[in-house]
Amino acid sequence: MCGIVGSLQQPVTPETLQVIAHRGPDYQDVYQWNNVSLGHVRLSIVDLSVAGNQPMHTNDQRNTIIFNGEVYNHLELRRELSGISYKGHSDTETILYYLQQKGIEKINKLNGIFSIALLDKERKKLFLARDPFGVKPLYYHKKDNKVTCFASEIKPLFQLGAPKVFNEAYLTTFLKLRYVPSPNTLFKNIYKVAPGTALEIDIETGEILKEHAFYTIPKTNTKINKNEALEQYDYLLQKAVKRQLMADVPVSLLLSGGVDSALIAKIIAENTSDKLQTYTAGYNMSDTDIDETKDAQHTAKYLGLSSKVVTLDEKGFLENLPNLIKSIEEPLGSQSIYPINFLSKKINEDGFKVTLTGQGVDEPWGGYNRYNTQQALDKFGGLPFPLIITFSKTIKKDSIRRGLNTLAQKSRHERFTESYSLFDDTMLKGLLKRDVYHFQDKTFTADIIHDKLKQYQLGSKKAIEAMMILDARMNLSDDLLLYTDKIAMQHSIEMRVPFLDIELMAFAESLPYTLKLGLFKNKWLHKKLAEKHLPKEIIYRKKRGFYMPGKNWFRASTGEELEQMLMEDNGIFNTYFDKNEVQKYFTLHRKGAVNYEKQLYLLVVLNLWTTSFFK
């Protein structure tokens, strides 16, 4: 709902706040205490009065908070407190006093989406925290291993003195995963607070005294049966959607042609008297594998909802992509930034500040094909590895190539890495200049995955369970949720994700994977629940995905224009990449020999990002 900025070295000025004014156009303010400077821009959603403005102080002035997001169970938490004279009814005021009375250790009781900075003047400590699934971003800069400043976005850090330095150590990780996992970024010495983590910082030195992971992975409940799980899922999802309608302003919904957003729409329609306004992105082309318009409109009509369609085209993509890359600040491989941008723009123009989405289902409920590969490995065991590696090099279809590369690996973290890798090591050897490729550590990304598996203590989990848990904390927070927040907030829109409700996710991640998917049957329990609320024609439609028609666009004039842009680059991109090899990818894609739309898009994004931030 807002944007936060803080510094331990220099004042946060109104000019600094102006860099993130889009995150909070309703009010802004700065507070200074000793060497600590805290700034906040507000998007008013809960308690629209001045009582909800930030920075906010306790009555005794001991604690000051700046907070971005929503805590949906704040009224429940408020009932646990006593002896407080409240000035308003905002969730900010609740968590300010809750953390003062209960301690930062009780931040795990907050159910919501948030990034928080809490200043404790008596203890001379600053606490930074981010919600368990990283819905709300929070960055910080370190100099000589000391924190100097932090913010909801990266650009204010540059305003506060953080230098722009390309973090080349994570280049191959980005090319494989399509993002850089927390806490790192492609900017050297600029970090993300990891999901579900709180940092304790000494405000006099900037030293991080403690890093506390406050969200625990639930144990698998092997005793629950299908009927019990279905009943509990129904109860918790309805509870999550209802609590995320918390707002003193109207709420809208992103409606795709799929089951996930349709399920949310049905629950909202049953629990509100106002006619829900929905928004769908479509394309002015005949490719029915991309355009969800008809399916979404059918769903809206069935549920009696108001439906608006935002139509996108190829020209708009070319014109807007450079600014979108600047907005998300980190290069990401998701093509959905294009439709989410124009949906957010339209929602803002129609006077909304809040919209709900169906994001966050595939990870906990088994929606990706890579989970089927892991399930097959668990079920059938080892395969002739050398033969698979040789065979995979001849495969042209990207998903099959990655699947075979996955089967060829013996260790879990290497299998996971290959399953994610958009560019495998063979591709990178040709794509990167010889000296660059030999400089890169070939096991670096796999080592990151290995460390994440240890961090979340996933060694005892089945591979499929471990991957789903990891995806909810990497693929979601560092890619999908990151671009959603950055693009939506560029238009002063808060995106809410009911499927990532903390209570609901604790339940989902406690279920055995056998209730989520069978062999090549994805999101089993999720779809069974949908059958209680929606007709099967909506539930079992062909999944179209939420992205742009890049395959066709990169084979047309758009591809030619982008290819020329990469060939003419003389900056960082030119330093690292063999342009002849890059050109081969464009040529093969244009001829229809291989669909390289994802790889080409990733290279274009990286080029635009380096051009935007390092010239």
Side-chain angles (χ1 to χ4, degrees):
M1 67 171 184
C2 303
I4 65 175
V5 184
S7 174
L8 302 181
Q9 292 192 345
Q10 59 183 294
V12 173
T13 66
E15 289 73 25
T16 307
L17 290 184
Q18 197 58 36
V19 178
I20 57 167
H22 51 271
R23 299 187 71 93
D26 297 328
Y27 179 81
Q28 68 176 51
D29 200 5
V30 175
Y31 173 72
Q32 186 77 35
W33 185 80
N34 293 349
N35 64 308
V36 181
S37 188
L38 302 176
H40 186 269
V41 295
R42 185 184 184 199
L43 182 66
S44 303
I45 293 173
V46 176
D47 191 346
L48 309 185
S49 75
V50 296
N53 289 343
Q54 303 177 47
M56 186 180 291
H57 318 279
T58 51
N59 291 329
D60 61 8
Q61 297 296 307
R62 173 182 165 177
N63 291 104
T64 298
I65 194 171
I66 48 176
F67 160 62
N68 168 34
E70 306 289 350
V71 173
Y72 305 115
N73 66 331
H74 85 97
L75 292 178
E76 300 167 33
L77 300 178
R78 187 173 281 207
R79 287 193 287 270
E80 297 180 24
L81 305 177
S82 60
I84 298 167
S85 177
Y86 293 103
K87 297 175 182 177
H89 66 271
S90 72
D91 51 340
T92 306
E93 192 172 17
T94 301
I95 62 175
L96 171 61
Y97 284 106
Y98 191 84
L99 295 177
Q100 182 183 52
Q101 286 197 8
K102 305 289 187 180
I104 193 69
E105 296 78 14
K106 293 298 182 181
I107 198 169
N108 63 340
K109 299 297 183 181
L110 275 56
N111 188 341
I113 54 178
F114 55 82
S115 58
I116 295 171
L118 179 71
L119 172 64
D120 188 328
K121 300 164 198 171
E122 185 175 291
R123 297 171 61 193
K124 295 184 178 179
K125 301 285 179 63
L126 175 72
F127 299 93
L128 302 180
R130 190 174 174 209
D131 65 76
F133 301 102
V135 180
K136 289 295 177 183
L138 184 56
Y139 297 91
Y140 62 97
H141 170 253
K142 287 200 297 185
K143 181 180 181 181
D144 300 326
N145 216 32
K146 313 292 185 182
V147 175
T148 68
C149 53
F150 61 90
S152 296
E153 296 185 6
I154 296 174
K155 295 184 196 74
L157 304 184
F158 299 142
Q159 293 275 326
L160 294 167
K164 297 178 186 177
V165 182
F166 180 58
N167 196 358
E168 63 182 13
Y170 287 88
L171 176 60
T172 54
T173 296
F174 167 73
L175 292 170
K176 288 184 176 185
L177 303 184
R178 292 172 265 196
Y179 60 88
V180 176
S182 298
N184 296 286
T185 72
L186 272 180
F187 291 107
K188 191 173 287 186
N189 295 323
I190 291 179
Y191 303 90
K192 291 172 280 196
V193 176
T197 301
L199 306 182
E200 180 181 327
I201 301 167
D202 185 316
I203 63 172
E204 294 181 336
T205 66
E207 180 184 358
I208 297 177
L209 303 174
K210 184 179 179 182
E211 186 169 353
H212 167 59
F214 60 82
Y215 184 84
T216 306
I217 308 296
K219 293 181 179 180
T220 303
N221 182 0
T222 56
K223 296 180 179 180
I224 194 168
N225 62 43
K226 293 178 182 179
N227 291 333
E228 291 170 337
L230 189 62
E231 183 179 352
Q232 186 73 352
Y233 183 25
D234 195 4
Y235 168 74
L236 289 174
L237 178 59
Q238 294 207 45
K239 187 177 178 182
V241 174
K242 291 173 189 176
R243 63 161 51 113
Q244 293 199 25
L245 294 174
M246 179 188 82
D248 294 329
V249 294
V251 173
S252 59
L253 174 73
L254 291 188
L255 184 65
S256 71
V259 60
D260 306 333
S261 58
L263 191 50
I264 293 176
K266 179 67 184 309
I267 296 172
I268 295 175
E270 290 175 341
N271 288 279
T272 58
S273 56
D274 296 333
K275 191 169 186 177
L276 180 66
Q277 180 64 62
T278 69
Y279 294 85
T280 304
Y283 295 90
N284 57 353
M285 59 189 304
S286 59
D287 189 342
T288 55
D289 286 337
I290 299 292
D291 194 357
E292 296 186 287
T293 302
K294 290 182 179 179
D295 288 345
Q297 288 180 320
H298 175 266
T299 298
K301 184 177 180 180
Y302 171 79
L303 295 175
L305 310 176
S306 178
S307 173
K308 288 190 178 182
V309 174
V310 177
T311 303
L312 309 173
D313 58 29
E314 190 172 355
K315 181 183 177 184
F317 167 69
L318 273 177
E319 290 176 348
N320 287 277
L321 187 59
N323 284 331
L324 294 180
I325 302 306
K326 290 179 184 177
S327 295
I328 60 176
E329 301 180 305
E330 294 185 66
L332 300 174
S334 294
Q335 300 176 27
S336 306
I337 65 170
Y338 180 49
I340 207 75
N341 175 66
F342 284 94
L343 284 167
S344 300
K345 183 175 183 290
K346 178 60 177 171
I347 293 168
N348 172 276
E349 289 171 350
D350 285 354
F352 289 97
K353 293 182 178 181
V354 178
T355 194
L356 275 64
T357 82
Q359 203 169 38
V361 175
D362 289 323
E363 290 78 9
W365 294 102
Y368 295 126
N369 290 332
R370 58 176 173 264
Y371 301 144
N372 303 121
T373 304
Q374 295 303 325
Q375 187 181 28
L377 277 169
D378 280 345
K379 196 173 185 68
F380 300 117
L383 292 166
F385 301 111
L387 180 62
I388 292 176
I389 292 173
T390 302
F391 183 59
S392 71
K393 293 178 181 179
T394 67
I395 298 298
K396 296 180 179 180
K397 187 172 176 60
D398 182 64
S399 58
I400 297 176
R401 172 187 58 79
R402 279 190 280 144
L404 288 173
N405 283 343
T406 300
L407 293 172
Q409 305 304 315
K410 296 183 179 180
S411 68
R412 178 176 290 189
H413 63 281
E414 289 173 325
R415 287 203 304 270
F416 283 17
T417 304
E418 290 301 331
S419 181
Y420 298 135
S421 289
L422 195 60
F423 289 99
D424 60 30
D425 285 324
T426 300
M427 298 166 80
L428 291 175
K429 186 175 182 180
L431 190 64
L432 296 172
K433 289 184 176 178
R434 183 178 178 84
D435 56 335
V436 175
Y437 177 77
H438 286 290
F439 165 77
Q440 298 287 325
D441 185 344
K442 309 307 177 298
T443 66
F444 188 69
T445 306
D447 290 342
I448 292 173
I449 302 298
H450 180 264
D451 291 344
K452 292 286 186 181
L453 290 169
K454 287 181 63 178
Q455 175 187 342
Y456 295 116
Q457 300 178 342
L458 300 177
S460 62
K461 298 278 188 181
K462 290 278 190 180
I464 186 173
E465 294 173 319
M467 178 174 272
M468 292 163 75
I469 290 169
L470 207 60
D471 284 354
R473 289 152 183 82
M474 284 176 50
N475 182 53
L476 263 177
S477 68
D478 294 319
D479 183 9
L480 306 181
L481 294 170
L482 183 64
Y483 81 73
T484 299
D485 175 87
K486 294 282 189 71
I487 297 297
M489 291 301 288
Q490 194 70 32
H491 298 283
S492 306
I493 296 295
E494 178 178 274
M495 293 277 186
R496 296 182 178 179
V497 279
F499 286 110
L500 294 180
D501 174 90
I502 307 304
E503 186 180 12
L504 176 60
M505 281 294 290
F507 164 74
E509 293 191 323
S510 74
L511 293 178
Y513 76 91
T514 51
L515 290 180
K516 301 176 185 181
L517 71 168
L519 199 58
F520 302 107
K521 282 187 177 181
N522 298 73
K523 301 197 297 191
W524 182 85
L525 191 72
H526 177 68
K527 291 179 179 177
K528 285 297 177 185
L529 172 63
E531 288 180 7
K532 294 178 64 176
H533 298 277
L534 298 166
K536 289 186 177 182
E537 63 192 66
I538 292 177
I539 300 168
Y540 296 102
R541 286 175 182 147
K542 180 180 179 180
K543 185 174 181 177
R544 305 189 191 282
F546 182 62
Y547 48 86
M548 66 178 198
K551 181 174 73 172
N552 295 331
W553 290 357
F554 283 132
R555 284 177 179 157
S557 58
T558 293
E560 294 174 359
E561 189 169 335
L562 293 173
E563 179 183 0
Q564 184 179 357
M565 179 183 74
L566 266 59
M567 293 302 104
E568 293 175 353
D569 181 89
N570 289 312
I572 287 179
F573 189 87
N574 179 61
T575 302
Y576 290 95
F577 291 91
D578 183 330
K579 289 184 178 178
N580 290 328
E581 191 70 15
V582 172
Q583 200 163 34
K584 286 181 184 177
Y585 279 84
F586 277 99
T587 301
L588 288 170
H589 181 81
R590 192 175 295 117
K591 289 180 177 178
V594 190
N595 180 8
Y596 278 137
E597 64 172 306
K598 293 179 181 178
Q599 286 82 0
L600 293 176
Y601 179 78
L602 195 70
L603 294 174
V604 167
V605 165
L606 183 63
N607 174 263
L608 287 170
W609 177 77
T610 57
T611 300
S612 295
F613 287 97
F614 294 99
K615 271 197 173 181

